[in-house]
Coordinates of all heavy atoms in Angstrom, one line a residue:
N1 N 64.9 181.9 189.7 CA 64.1 181.1 190.7 C 64.1 179.6 190.3 O 63.9 179.2 189.2 CB 62.7 181.7 190.5 CG 61.6 181.0 191.5 OD1 62.0 180.0 192.1 ND2 60.5 181.6 191.6
S2 N 64.4 178.7 191.2 CA 64.5 177.3 190.9 C 63.1 176.6 190.6 O 63.1 175.5 190.1 CB 65.2 176.6 192.0 OG 64.3 176.7 193.2
N3 N 62.0 177.3 190.9 CA 60.8 176.7 190.5 C 60.2 177.1 189.1 O 59.2 176.7 188.7 CB 59.7 177.2 191.5 CG 60.0 176.6 192.9 OD1 60.5 175.6 193.0 ND2 59.7 177.4 193.9
S4 N 61.1 177.9 188.5 CA 60.7 178.4 187.1 C 61.1 177.3 186.0 O 62.2 176.8 186.2 CB 61.3 179.7 186.7 OG 60.9 180.7 187.6
P5 N 60.3 177.2 185.0 CA 60.7 176.1 183.9 C 61.9 176.7 183.3 O 62.1 177.9 183.0 CB 59.6 176.1 183.1 CG 58.8 177.2 183.3 CD 59.0 177.7 184.7
S6 N 62.9 175.8 182.9 CA 64.1 176.2 182.1 C 63.8 176.4 180.6 O 64.4 177.0 179.9 CB 65.2 175.2 182.3 OG 64.8 173.9 181.8
M7 N 62.6 175.9 180.2 CA 62.2 175.9 178.8 C 60.7 175.6 178.7 O 60.1 174.8 179.5 CB 62.9 174.9 178.0 CG 62.7 174.9 176.5 SD 63.8 173.6 175.8 CE 63.2 173.7 174.2
T8 N 60.0 176.4 177.8 CA 58.7 176.1 177.5 C 58.4 175.9 176.1 O 58.9 176.7 175.2 CB 57.8 177.3 178.0 OG1 58.1 177.6 179.3 CG2 56.3 177.2 177.8
L9 N 57.6 175.0 175.7 CA 57.3 174.7 174.2 C 55.8 175.0 174.0 O 55.0 174.4 174.8 CB 57.7 173.2 173.9 CG 59.1 172.8 174.0 CD1 59.3 171.4 173.8 CD2 60.0 173.7 173.0
R10 N 55.5 175.6 172.9 CA 54.1 175.7 172.5 C 53.9 174.8 171.3 O 54.5 175.0 170.3 CB 53.8 177.1 172.2 CG 53.8 178.1 173.3 CD 53.4 179.5 173.0 NE 53.7 180.3 174.0 CZ 52.8 180.6 175.1 NH1 51.7 180.0 175.2 NH2 53.2 181.4 176.1
L11 N 53.1 173.7 171.4 CA 52.9 172.8 170.3 C 51.5 172.9 169.9 O 50.6 173.2 170.5 CB 53.3 171.3 171.0 CG 54.6 171.2 171.6 CD1 54.7 169.7 172.2 CD2 55.7 171.4 170.5
D12 N 51.4 172.4 168.6 CA 50.1 172.5 167.9 C 49.4 171.1 167.9 O 48.5 170.9 167.2 CB 50.2 173.0 166.4 CG 51.2 172.2 165.6 OD1 51.7 171.3 166.1 OD2 51.2 172.4 164.4
H13 N 50.0 170.1 168.7 CA 49.5 168.8 168.7 C 49.7 168.2 170.1 O 50.6 168.7 170.8 CB 50.2 167.9 167.7 CG 51.7 167.9 167.8 ND1 52.5 168.8 167.4 CD2 52.5 166.9 168.4 CE1 53.7 168.5 167.8 NE2 53.7 167.3 168.3
P14 N 48.9 167.3 170.5 CA 49.1 166.7 171.9 C 50.3 165.8 171.8 O 50.6 165.0 170.9 CB 47.7 165.9 172.1 CG 47.2 165.6 170.7 CD 47.7 166.8 169.9
V15 N 51.0 165.7 173.0 CA 52.1 164.9 173.2 C 51.7 163.6 174.1 O 51.1 163.9 175.2 CB 53.3 165.6 173.7 CG1 54.4 164.8 174.1 CG2 53.7 166.7 172.7
T16 N 52.1 162.5 173.7 CA 51.6 161.4 174.6 C 52.8 160.9 175.4 O 52.6 160.1 176.4 CB 51.2 160.1 173.7 OG1 52.2 159.9 172.7 CG2 49.9 160.5 173.0
A17 N 54.1 161.2 175.1 CA 55.2 160.7 175.8 C 56.4 161.7 175.7 O 56.5 162.4 174.6 CB 55.6 159.3 175.5
V18 N 57.2 161.7 176.7 CA 58.5 162.5 176.7 C 59.5 161.7 177.4 O 59.3 161.0 178.4 CB 58.3 163.9 177.5 CG1 59.6 164.7 177.4 CG2 57.3 164.7 176.9
D19 N 60.8 161.8 176.7 CA 62.0 161.2 177.5 C 63.2 162.1 177.2 O 63.3 162.8 176.1 CB 62.2 159.7 176.9 CG 63.2 159.0 177.8 OD1 63.2 159.2 179.0 OD2 64.0 158.2 177.3
H20 N 64.1 162.0 178.1 CA 65.3 162.9 178.0 C 66.5 162.0 177.8 O 66.8 160.9 178.5 CB 65.5 163.6 179.4 CG 66.6 164.7 179.4 ND1 67.8 164.3 179.8 CD2 66.5 165.9 179.1 CE1 68.5 165.4 179.7 NE2 67.8 166.4 179.3
G21 N 67.4 162.4 176.9 CA 68.6 161.7 176.5 C 69.6 162.1 177.6 O 69.9 163.2 177.8
R22 N 70.2 161.2 178.3 CA 71.1 161.3 179.3 C 72.4 162.0 178.8 O 73.1 161.4 177.8 CB 71.5 160.0 180.0 CG 70.3 159.5 180.9 CD 70.9 158.4 181.6 NE 69.8 157.8 182.4 CZ 69.9 156.8 183.3 NH1 71.0 156.1 183.3 NH2 68.7 156.4 183.9
G23 N 72.8 163.0 179.3 CA 74.0 163.8 179.0 C 74.2 164.3 177.6 O 75.2 164.6 177.1
Q24 N 73.1 164.4 176.9 CA 73.1 164.8 175.5 C 72.5 166.2 175.2 O 72.7 166.7 174.1 CB 72.4 163.8 174.6 CG 72.9 162.4 174.7 CD 72.1 161.5 173.8 OE1 71.6 161.9 172.7 NE2 71.9 160.2 174.2
G25 N 71.8 166.7 176.2 CA 71.1 167.9 176.0 C 70.0 167.9 175.1 O 69.6 168.8 174.4
V26 N 69.4 166.6 174.8 CA 68.2 166.4 173.9 C 67.1 165.7 174.7 O 67.3 165.0 175.7 CB 68.7 165.7 172.7 CG1 69.6 166.4 171.8 CG2 69.1 164.3 173.0
F27 N 65.9 165.9 174.1 CA 64.8 165.1 174.6 C 63.9 164.8 173.4 O 64.0 165.4 172.3 CB 64.0 165.8 175.7 CG 63.4 167.1 175.4 CD1 62.1 167.2 175.0 CD2 64.2 168.3 175.3 CE1 61.5 168.4 174.7 CE2 63.7 169.5 175.1 CZ 62.3 169.6 174.7
A28 N 63.0 163.8 173.6 CA 62.2 163.3 172.4 C 60.7 163.4 173.0 O 60.4 163.2 174.2 CB 62.4 161.9 172.0
T29 N 59.8 163.8 172.1 CA 58.4 163.7 172.4 C 57.8 162.8 171.4 O 58.2 162.7 170.2 CB 57.8 165.1 172.2 OG1 57.9 165.7 171.0 CG2 58.2 166.1 173.4
A30 N 56.7 162.1 171.8 CA 55.8 161.2 170.8 C 54.5 161.8 170.7 O 53.9 162.2 171.6 CB 55.9 159.8 171.5
A31 N 54.0 161.6 169.5 CA 52.5 162.0 169.2 C 52.2 161.1 168.0 O 52.3 159.9 168.0 CB 52.4 163.5 168.9
D32 N 51.9 161.8 166.9 CA 51.8 161.1 165.5 C 53.1 160.9 165.0 O 53.3 160.4 163.9 CB 50.8 161.8 164.6 CG 51.3 163.3 164.3 OD1 52.1 163.8 165.2 OD2 50.9 163.8 163.2
R33 N 54.1 161.4 165.5 CA 55.5 161.4 165.2 C 56.4 161.4 166.4 O 56.0 161.9 167.4 CB 55.8 162.5 164.2 CG 55.7 163.9 164.8 CD 56.0 165.0 163.8 NE 55.8 166.3 164.5 CZ 54.7 167.0 164.5 NH1 53.5 166.6 163.9 NH2 54.7 168.3 165.0
V34 N 57.7 161.1 166.1 CA 58.7 161.4 167.2 C 59.4 162.7 166.9 O 59.9 162.9 165.7 CB 59.6 160.3 167.4 CG1 60.9 160.6 168.2 CG2 59.0 159.0 167.8
D35 N 59.5 163.7 167.7 CA 60.4 164.9 167.5 C 61.5 164.8 168.5 O 61.3 164.5 169.6 CB 59.5 166.2 167.8 CG 58.4 166.4 166.8 OD1 58.7 166.2 165.6 OD2 57.4 167.0 167.1
I36 N 62.7 165.1 168.0 CA 63.8 165.2 168.8 C 64.2 166.8 169.0 O 64.2 167.5 167.9 CB 65.1 164.6 168.0 CG1 64.8 163.2 167.6 CG2 66.3 164.6 169.0 CD1 64.5 162.2 168.7
W37 N 64.3 167.1 170.2 CA 64.5 168.6 170.5 C 65.9 168.7 171.3 O 66.4 167.8 171.9 CB 63.5 169.0 171.6 CG 62.1 168.8 171.1 CD1 61.4 167.7 171.1 CD2 61.2 169.7 170.6 NE1 60.1 167.8 170.7 CE2 59.9 169.1 170.3 CE3 61.3 171.0 170.2 CZ2 58.9 169.8 169.8 CZ3 60.2 171.8 169.7 CH2 59.0 171.1 169.4
R38 N 66.5 169.8 171.0 CA 67.7 170.2 171.7 C 67.3 171.3 172.7 O 66.6 172.2 172.3 CB 68.7 170.7 170.7 CG 70.1 170.9 171.4 CD 71.2 171.0 170.4 NE 71.4 169.9 169.6 CZ 71.9 168.7 169.9 NH1 72.3 168.5 171.1 NH2 72.0 167.7 169.0
H39 N 67.8 171.2 173.9 CA 67.5 172.3 174.9 C 67.8 173.7 174.5 O 68.8 173.8 173.8 CB 68.2 172.0 176.2 CG 67.8 170.8 176.9 ND1 66.6 170.8 177.7 CD2 68.1 169.5 176.9 CE1 66.3 169.6 178.2 NE2 67.3 168.8 177.7
G40 N 66.9 174.5 174.6 CA 67.2 175.9 174.2 C 66.6 176.2 172.8 O 66.6 177.4 172.4
R41 N 66.2 175.3 172.1 CA 65.6 175.6 170.7 C 64.1 175.4 170.7 O 63.5 174.6 171.4 CB 66.1 174.5 169.7 CG 67.6 174.7 169.4 CD 68.1 174.0 168.1 NE 67.1 174.1 167.0 CZ 67.5 173.8 165.8 NH1 68.7 173.5 165.6 NH2 66.6 174.0 164.9
A42 N 63.4 176.2 170.0 CA 62.0 176.3 169.9 C 61.4 175.3 168.9 O 60.2 175.0 169.0 CB 61.4 177.7 169.7
D43 N 62.2 174.8 168.1 CA 61.7 173.9 167.0 C 62.5 172.6 167.1 O 63.7 172.6 167.6 CB 62.0 174.5 165.6 CG 61.1 175.7 165.4 OD1 60.0 175.7 165.7 OD2 61.7 176.7 164.9
P44 N 61.9 171.4 166.7 CA 62.6 170.2 166.8 C 63.8 170.1 165.9 O 63.7 170.7 164.7 CB 61.6 169.1 166.6 CG 60.4 169.8 165.8 CD 60.5 171.3 166.2
V45 N 64.8 169.4 166.2 CA 66.0 169.3 165.2 C 65.8 168.2 164.2 O 66.4 168.1 163.3 CB 67.4 169.1 166.0 CG1 67.7 170.3 166.8 CG2 67.3 167.8 166.9
S46 N 64.8 167.3 164.6 CA 64.4 166.2 163.7 C 63.1 165.8 164.1 O 62.5 165.7 165.2 CB 65.4 165.0 164.0 OG 65.2 164.0 163.2
S47 N 62.3 165.4 163.0 CA 60.9 164.8 163.2 C 60.9 163.5 162.3 O 61.4 163.5 161.1 CB 59.9 165.8 162.7 OG 59.8 166.9 163.5
I48 N 60.4 162.4 162.9 CA 60.3 161.1 162.3 C 58.8 160.7 162.3 O 58.2 160.5 163.4 CB 61.1 160.1 163.0 CG1 62.6 160.6 163.1 CG2 61.1 158.8 162.2 CD1 63.4 159.8 164.1
R49 N 58.2 160.6 161.2 CA 56.8 160.1 161.1 C 56.7 158.7 161.2 O 57.5 157.9 160.6 CB 56.2 160.6 159.8 CG 56.0 162.0 159.7 CD 54.5 162.3 159.6 NE 54.4 163.8 159.7 CZ 53.6 164.4 160.5 NH1 52.9 163.7 161.4 NH2 53.5 165.8 160.4
H50 N 55.7 158.2 162.0 CA 55.4 156.8 162.0 C 54.6 156.4 160.8 O 53.6 156.8 160.4 CB 54.5 156.5 163.2 CG 54.1 155.1 163.4 ND1 54.7 154.0 163.0 CD2 52.9 154.6 164.0 CE1 54.1 152.9 163.2 NE2 53.0 153.2 163.9
A51 N 55.2 155.4 160.0 CA 54.7 155.0 158.7 C 53.3 154.4 158.9 O 52.5 154.6 157.8 CB 55.6 154.0 158.1
G52 N 53.0 153.9 159.9 CA 51.7 153.3 160.2 C 50.6 154.3 160.4 O 49.4 154.1 160.1
G53 N 51.0 155.5 160.7 CA 50.0 156.7 160.9 C 49.3 156.7 162.2 O 48.7 157.6 162.6
D54 N 49.5 155.6 163.0 CA 48.9 155.6 164.3 C 49.6 156.5 165.3 O 50.7 156.9 165.1 CB 48.7 154.2 164.9 CG 47.7 153.4 164.1 OD1 46.7 154.0 163.7 OD2 47.8 152.2 164.0
T55 N 49.0 156.8 166.5 CA 49.6 157.5 167.4 C 50.7 156.7 168.2 O 50.5 155.5 168.4 CB 48.5 157.9 168.5 OG1 47.5 158.7 167.9 CG2 49.1 158.8 169.7
L56 N 51.8 157.3 168.5 CA 52.8 156.7 169.3 C 52.5 156.9 170.7 O 52.1 158.0 171.2 CB 54.2 157.3 168.9 CG 54.6 157.1 167.5 CD1 55.7 157.9 167.1 CD2 54.8 155.6 167.2
Q57 N 52.7 155.8 171.6 CA 52.2 155.9 173.0 C 53.4 156.1 173.9 O 53.2 156.6 174.9 CB 51.6 154.6 173.3 CG 50.3 154.2 172.5 CD 49.2 155.3 172.9 OE1 49.0 155.5 173.9 NE2 48.6 155.7 171.8
S58 N 54.7 155.7 173.5 CA 55.7 155.9 174.3 C 57.0 156.1 173.5 O 57.1 155.8 172.4 CB 56.0 154.7 175.2 OG 56.3 153.5 174.5
V59 N 58.0 156.7 174.2 CA 59.3 157.0 173.5 C 60.3 157.0 174.7 O 60.1 157.5 175.7 CB 59.3 158.4 172.8 CG1 59.1 159.5 173.7 CG2 60.6 158.5 172.0
R60 N 61.5 156.3 174.3 CA 62.6 156.1 175.4 C 63.9 156.0 174.6 O 64.1 155.4 173.6 CB 62.4 154.8 176.1 CG 61.2 154.8 177.1 CD 61.5 155.5 178.3 NE 60.4 155.4 179.2 CZ 59.5 156.2 179.4 NH1 59.3 157.2 178.5 NH2 58.5 156.1 180.3
F61 N 64.9 156.8 175.2 CA 66.2 156.7 174.8 C 66.8 155.5 175.5 O 66.5 155.2 176.7 CB 67.0 157.9 175.2 CG 66.9 159.2 174.3 CD1 65.9 160.1 174.7 CD2 67.6 159.3 173.2 CE1 65.7 161.2 173.8 CE2 67.3 160.3 172.3 CZ 66.5 161.3 172.7
S62 N 67.7 154.8 174.8 CA 68.5 153.7 175.4 C 69.4 154.2 176.5 O 70.0 155.2 176.3 CB 69.2 152.9 174.4 OG 70.1 152.0 175.0
R63 N 69.5 153.6 177.6 CA 70.5 153.9 178.7 C 71.8 153.4 178.4 O 72.8 153.8 179.0 CB 69.9 153.4 180.0 CG 68.5 153.9 180.4 CD 68.4 155.3 180.4 NE 67.0 155.7 180.9 CZ 66.3 156.7 180.3 NH1 66.8 157.4 179.2 NH2 65.2 157.1 180.7
V64 N 72.0 152.4 177.4 CA 73.2 151.9 177.1 C 73.8 152.6 175.8 O 74.9 152.9 175.8 CB 73.1 150.4 176.9 CG1 74.4 149.8 176.6 CG2 72.6 149.7 178.2
E65 N 72.9 152.7 174.8 CA 73.4 153.3 173.5 C 72.6 154.6 173.4 O 71.5 154.6 172.9 CB 72.9 152.3 172.3 CG 73.6 150.9 172.3 CD 75.1 151.1 171.9 OE1 75.4 152.1 171.2 OE2 75.9 150.3 172.4
P66 N 73.2 155.6 173.7 CA 72.6 156.9 173.7 C 72.0 157.5 172.4 O 71.2 158.3 172.4 CB 73.7 157.9 174.1 CG 75.0 157.2 174.0 CD 74.7 155.8 174.0
D67 N 72.4 156.9 171.2 CA 71.9 157.4 169.9 C 70.7 156.4 169.5 O 70.1 156.6 168.4 CB 73.0 157.3 168.9 CG 74.0 158.3 169.2 OD1 73.7 159.4 169.6 OD2 75.2 158.1 168.7
L68 N 70.3 155.5 170.4 CA 69.2 154.5 170.0 C 67.9 155.0 170.7 O 68.0 155.3 171.9 CB 69.5 153.1 170.4 CG 68.5 152.0 170.0 CD1 68.5 152.0 168.5 CD2 69.0 150.8 170.6
L69 N 66.9 155.1 170.0 CA 65.6 155.6 170.5 C 64.5 154.6 170.1 O 64.5 154.1 169.0 CB 65.3 156.9 169.9 CG 64.0 157.7 170.3 CD1 64.2 158.2 171.7 CD2 63.8 158.9 169.4
A70 N 63.7 154.2 171.1 CA 62.6 153.2 170.8 C 61.2 153.9 171.1 O 61.1 154.9 172.0 CB 62.7 152.1 171.7
A71 N 60.3 153.5 170.3 CA 58.9 154.1 170.4 C 57.9 153.0 170.3 O 58.2 152.0 169.5 CB 58.6 155.2 169.5
T72 N 56.7 153.0 170.9 CA 55.6 152.1 170.7 C 54.5 152.8 170.2 O 54.2 153.9 170.5 CB 55.3 151.3 172.0 OG1 54.8 152.3 172.9 CG2 56.5 150.5 172.5
G73 N 53.7 152.1 169.3 CA 52.5 152.7 168.6 C 51.3 152.1 169.2 O 51.2 151.0 169.8
S74 N 50.2 152.8 168.9 CA 48.9 152.3 169.4 C 48.4 151.0 168.6 O 47.4 150.4 169.0 CB 47.8 153.5 169.4 OG 47.7 153.8 168.0
D75 N 49.0 150.8 167.5 CA 48.7 149.6 166.7 C 49.6 148.5 167.1 O 49.7 147.5 166.5 CB 49.0 150.0 165.3 CG 50.4 150.3 164.9 OD1 51.2 150.5 165.8 OD2 50.7 150.4 163.7
R76 N 50.3 148.5 168.4 CA 51.1 147.5 169.0 C 52.4 147.4 168.2 O 53.2 146.4 168.4 CB 50.4 146.2 169.0 CG 49.1 146.3 169.8 CD 48.2 145.1 169.7 NE 48.7 144.0 170.4 CZ 48.1 142.8 170.4 NH1 47.1 142.6 169.6 NH2 48.6 141.9 171.1
S77 N 52.8 148.4 167.4 CA 54.1 148.3 166.8 C 55.3 148.8 167.7 O 54.9 149.6 168.7 CB 54.1 149.2 165.5 OG 53.8 150.5 165.9
V78 N 56.5 148.4 167.5 CA 57.6 148.7 168.2 C 58.7 149.3 167.2 O 59.0 148.7 166.2 CB 58.3 147.6 169.0 CG1 59.6 148.0 169.7 CG2 57.3 147.0 170.0
L79 N 59.1 150.5 167.4 CA 59.9 151.2 166.4 C 61.2 151.5 167.1 O 61.3 152.0 168.2 CB 59.2 152.5 166.0 CG 57.7 152.4 165.6 CD1 57.1 153.7 165.6 CD2 57.6 151.8 164.2
L80 N 62.3 151.3 166.3 CA 63.7 151.6 166.8 C 64.3 152.6 165.8 O 64.2 152.4 164.6 CB 64.6 150.3 166.9 CG 64.0 149.3 167.9 CD1 64.9 148.1 167.7 CD2 64.1 149.8 169.2
Y81 N 64.9 153.7 166.4 CA 65.5 154.7 165.5 C 67.0 154.8 166.0 O 67.3 154.9 167.2 CB 64.8 156.0 165.7 CG 63.3 156.1 165.4 CD1 62.3 156.1 166.4 CD2 62.9 156.0 164.1 CE1 61.0 156.1 166.1 CE2 61.5 156.1 163.8 CZ 60.6 156.1 164.8 OH 59.3 156.1 164.5
D82 N 67.9 154.8 165.0 CA 69.3 154.9 165.4 C 69.9 156.1 164.6 O 69.7 156.4 163.5 CB 70.1 153.6 164.9 CG 71.4 153.6 165.3 OD1 71.9 154.4 166.1 OD2 72.1 152.7 164.9

C-alpha cells in the first residue's frame, strides 16, 4: 500500500527537526542531540551531543556537500558536522 509508512521509529525523546540526505539512504533528527539514521535500522548509526546542552531547533544536510550537516541551537548557536 503506497499510503503505508516505509519505516516507523519509536523514540524516547521529542524531535524538533528532521532532514533527509539526498541519495544517501540516511536522515538526521534533532533534539538535545543530532542522531543520524540509516533507512531500515531501528537505532541511529551515530549520535552527536550538543556541547551547550540546549535543544537543537533545526538540522539540514548540505545540498552541495552530502557529508556536511548543519544544526542550530536554541541558544542561537550554529553547529557544523563533517
Side-chain angles (χ1 to χ4, degrees):
N1 185 349
S2 63
N3 292 328
S4 299
S6 60
M7 184 176 172
T8 302
L9 297 173
R10 295 185 189 271
L11 304 174
D12 61 354
H13 59 278
V15 171
T16 56
V18 177
D19 193 36
H20 187 269
R22 290 185 178 183
Q24 299 178 35
V26 296
F27 62 98
T29 58
D32 61 336
R33 64 185 179 264
V34 171
D35 287 327
I36 309 295
W37 304 83
R38 188 161 303 283
H39 289 279
R41 289 192 50 158
D43 296 313
V45 294
S46 181
S47 291
I48 308 164
R49 291 244 176 235
H50 174 31
D54 287 328
T55 301
L56 296 170
Q57 299 296 314
S58 66
V59 64
R60 291 282 183 268
F61 281 96
S62 170
R63 302 303 182 224
V64 177
E65 295 290 332
D67 293 330
L68 186 62
L69 184 70
T72 60
S74 59
D75 61 352
R76 299 165 79 187
S77 60
V78 177
L79 311 160
L80 297 174
Y81 304 106
D82 187 9

